[in-house]
Amino acid sequence: MKYALVTGGSRGIGRAISIQLARDGYYVIINYKSNHEAAQETLSQIQNEGGQAELMPFDVSQPDAINTTLEQWYASHPDEYIEVLVNNAGVSRDDMFLDIESEDWHKVINSGLNAFYYISQRVLPEMILHHQGRIINISSIAAIRGYVGRVNHSAVKAALLGVTKALSVEVASRKITVNAVAPGLILTDIHRNFLKSQNISEEESLIQYKKYIPMQRIGKPEEVADLVSFLASDKAAYITGQVIAIDGGLAV
Ligand code: NAP
């Protein structure tokens, strides 16, 4: 059995990634924070298609919760390991820089960057032992260009590009690849909340997108999932330390 852990797998991009990796033959461990209903929906969809998965709720910003949950998993799977880790979970707390409260700053950093540290550090030793592994970090084009009200988001996403490059060279000789995916605008709850915070309707936003996204449309979670699926596959065995944008040409 090949195991893949997808953080934030209950909704949006993480759900599409979980479903696609299950189609690719992985037993998918679906992490989420609190939306049990959405997570159950992802699980049911995988199982209805004949795939295998389980739910693993924990808060990716809480090191104790991460350690306890993953220790239990490894203890009950003594001969197995997590071969693919997708660091996808993230929250946004968009605001003008001068208005960002300390609590919101740390929430975004903890659930994006620190989560990478705690979770990757726990799953990497077994990947090294097995000389096989994939770590895929979900960054954002906000890592490479600026957006008003998103300084905290850019801080995390740009940091993920740095850690991807640095870690990739540390583990390359062990046949472990570390890559980042940088989505542009993808229609999910995070994005719907962003529109709401800016008082922009979905219809209105589509008109705007046509003006500045060369492909004149917003992306789909399934398109990001296809890229992650490729990076997790043997076809991508010689690709590491890369950041691949998937944004309809937005950041070109
Ligand atoms: P989303 O629809 O809001 O889903 C967020 C997911 O993360 C949910 O599964 C949520 O779990 C989980 N999550 C949030 N905080 C968590 C925590 N502390 N612990 C565990 N799980 C947590 O978001 P999305 O749009 O799919 O975004 C996924 C990733 O892509 C994020 O890192 C985001 O920054 C990045 N991204 C998105 C876009 C975009 O346009 N959508 C663009 C660029 C990058 P619950 O269901 O339990 O809340």
Side-chain angles (χ1 to χ4, degrees), residues 59-227:
D59 185 338
V60 297
S61 67
Q62 300 297 326
D64 290 347
I66 294 167
N67 283 336
T68 308
T69 313
L70 288 177
E71 282 318 321
Q72 278 170 3
W73 188 88
Y74 281 108
S76 57
H77 298 77
D79 300 321
E80 284 157 323
Y81 74 110
I82 294 165
E83 186 178 322
V84 175
L85 167 63
V86 185
N87 287 307
N88 165 76
V91 290
S92 57
R93 292 286 183 278
D94 297 340
D95 217 334
M96 298 304 279
F97 178 64
L98 290 179
D99 295 327
I100 300 174
E101 304 275 352
S102 165
E103 192 190 338
D104 282 344
W105 174 266
H106 289 288
K107 200 165 269 180
V108 172
I109 303 287
N110 286 340
S111 59
L113 180 59
N114 294 342
F116 159 84
Y117 166 69
Y118 292 117
I119 301 171
S120 307
Q121 209 177 49
R122 182 58 198 90
V123 304
L124 200 49
E126 277 77 8
M127 289 182 182
I128 291 172
L129 211 62
H130 289 85
H131 276 237
Q132 178 70 30
R134 298 277 191 272
I135 296 179
I136 300 161
N137 298 317
I138 306 301
S139 176
S140 166
I141 53 159
I144 49 179
R145 60 170 285 184
Y147 290 94
V148 171
R150 309 212 83 190
V151 172
N152 47 9
H153 181 69
S154 286
V156 167
K157 297 307 186 181
L160 283 177
L161 301 192
V163 300
T164 295
K165 289 191 177 291
L167 182 59
S168 71
V169 293
E170 279 192 24
V171 298
S173 66
R174 308 302 178 99
K175 289 169 78 178
I176 298 164
T177 69
V178 186
N179 289 293
V181 167
L185 286 166
I186 310 294
L187 193 55
T188 66
D189 291 346
I190 256 185
H191 185 63
R192 288 189 190 97
N193 292 339
F194 171 70
L195 291 180
K196 215 181 273 176
S197 74
Q198 306 292 309
N199 262 332
I200 304 170
S201 70
E202 274 186 38
E203 299 73 47
E204 206 182 317
S205 71
L206 274 176
I207 296 165
Q208 293 302 321
Y209 298 148
K210 286 194 175 170
K211 286 189 198 149
Y212 66 90
I213 300 178
M215 284 195 182
Q216 303 195 341
R217 69 171 176 86
I218 193 164
K220 301 176 198 153
E222 292 74 17
E223 291 173 311
V224 181
D226 282 340
L227 175 54

